[in-house]
Amino acid sequence: MANNNNGDVKLIGAWPSPFVMRPRIAFNIKSVEYEFLQEQFGSKSDLLLKSNPVHKKIPVLLHNDKPICESNIIVEYIDEVWSAGPSILPSDAHHRAVARFWAAYVDEKWFPNVRGALNASSEEAKNAAVGQLKEGMARLEGAYGEISKGKDFFGGEKIGFIDIAFGSMLAWLRALQVMLGGVKLLDEEKTPGLCKWADKFSADPAVKDVLPETDKIIEFAKLLVAKNKAAAASS
């Protein structure tokens, strides 16, 4: 059942962005209704620039016209404000710190190599990025085994903070595997836990209508890569 006691809730974003998928999944977990304000590819609206003048990036949550920026911060805000719904962050302080650590790892150490592999100007650079991605997947496989304690998700029996942070990347990860000619990042032999986790996460009711189809991400990624190459050539 949707939670209608929300005030005015709007999310500035774009459907392909994994960072925008995070608050969308969190809203679904909490059954919060919101208005999705989609930015156009290649441009930034006046509302976005006004709402996030520092970084000028999506996503931005507008709650009663007050902006909250940065995807993981938005997810934490959603968890705190709509506390009546299922919890996203653990109640234990140490477990919360661990969840934040791995969410930061995904953004700071793992995802930059997705960009690196897509935009690599040489085979050597692409292979280096893929190697870093595989190393990161091995680390995340180990973290999943330790944190989940044999349950379906990093968050235990239900989706939690790390699940949202990493799971929001799954559509791009799957697209990258195809675009790199069948490179295995989700590998049943090397990352069996993450393979099962990815299937369960993607099929969850809070997630399945948010994660785009792989073909759509591939199509968008090709446009993005072409734009980046054109920008690099003109600079």
Side-chain angles (χ1 to χ4, degrees), residues 172-216:
W172 281 88
L173 188 155
R174 289 168 175 144
L176 187 64
Q177 291 183 136
V178 175
M179 294 177 74
L180 295 179
V183 168
K184 278 193 173 184
L185 296 172
L186 280 171
D187 189 321
E188 290 183 0
E189 291 184 4
K190 295 179 180 178
T191 58
L194 288 181
C195 285
K196 292 176 182 177
W197 163 82
D199 288 342
K200 288 173 181 175
F201 180 84
S202 301
D204 191 271
V207 175
K208 62 182 181 180
D209 292 332
V210 174
L211 285 186
E213 295 174 3
T214 301
D215 289 348
K216 289 185 177 180

Side-chain angles (χ1 to χ4, degrees), residues 4-192:
N4 295 310
N5 299 317
N6 304 330
D8 185 36
V9 183
K10 297 175 182 176
L11 182 67
I12 305 173
W15 66 267
S17 168
F19 302 101
V20 174
M21 294 177 208
R22 290 173 177 174
R24 294 181 68 198
I25 292 167
F27 278 138
N28 286 346
I29 289 170
K30 298 286 188 175
S31 298
V32 173
E33 293 181 347
Y34 64 98
E35 183 179 357
F36 190 25
L37 305 175
Q38 292 220 52
E39 292 286 299
Q40 296 300 310
F41 177 61
S43 65
K44 296 183 180 184
S45 68
D46 290 340
L47 181 61
L48 173 60
L49 297 175
K50 175 186 173 185
S51 303
N52 190 0
V54 175
H55 296 300
K56 303 178 176 64
K57 291 180 179 179
I58 54 175
V60 178
L61 168 62
L62 297 174
H63 188 202
N64 295 325
D65 296 323
K66 294 177 181 177
I68 301 96
C69 306
E70 298 295 306
S71 61
N72 286 332
I73 293 173
I74 294 172
V75 171
E76 290 203 44
Y77 179 88
I78 291 168
D79 196 33
E80 290 178 15
V81 171
W82 288 281
S83 57
S87 295
I88 293 171
L89 277 152
S91 58
D92 177 81
H94 179 258
H95 293 165
R96 283 199 304 275
V98 169
R100 289 176 179 132
F101 172 87
W102 285 107
Y105 175 82
V106 168
D107 286 358
E108 296 168 13
K109 296 293 185 182
W110 188 84
F111 188 70
N113 291 300
V114 173
R115 289 196 177 106
L118 283 172
N119 295 311
S121 56
S122 68
E123 196 70 18
E124 183 181 359
K126 182 180 78 174
N127 290 338
V130 170
Q132 290 294 313
L133 282 169
K134 287 184 175 180
E135 183 180 318
M137 293 298 288
R139 287 186 184 276
L140 287 160
E141 173 75 12
Y144 173 71
E146 183 177 340
I147 296 167
S148 69
K149 294 179 172 59
K151 295 180 180 176
D152 287 346
F153 301 107
F154 284 92
E157 294 178 352
K158 55 186 177 59
I159 288 173
F161 194 63
I162 307 174
D163 298 289
I164 294 174
F166 186 38
S168 62
M169 305 289 175
L170 281 173
W172 281 88
L173 188 155
R174 289 168 175 144
L176 187 64
Q177 291 183 136
V178 175
M179 294 177 74
L180 295 179
V183 168
K184 278 193 173 184
L185 296 172
L186 280 171
D187 189 321
E188 290 183 0
E189 291 184 4
K190 295 179 180 178
T191 58

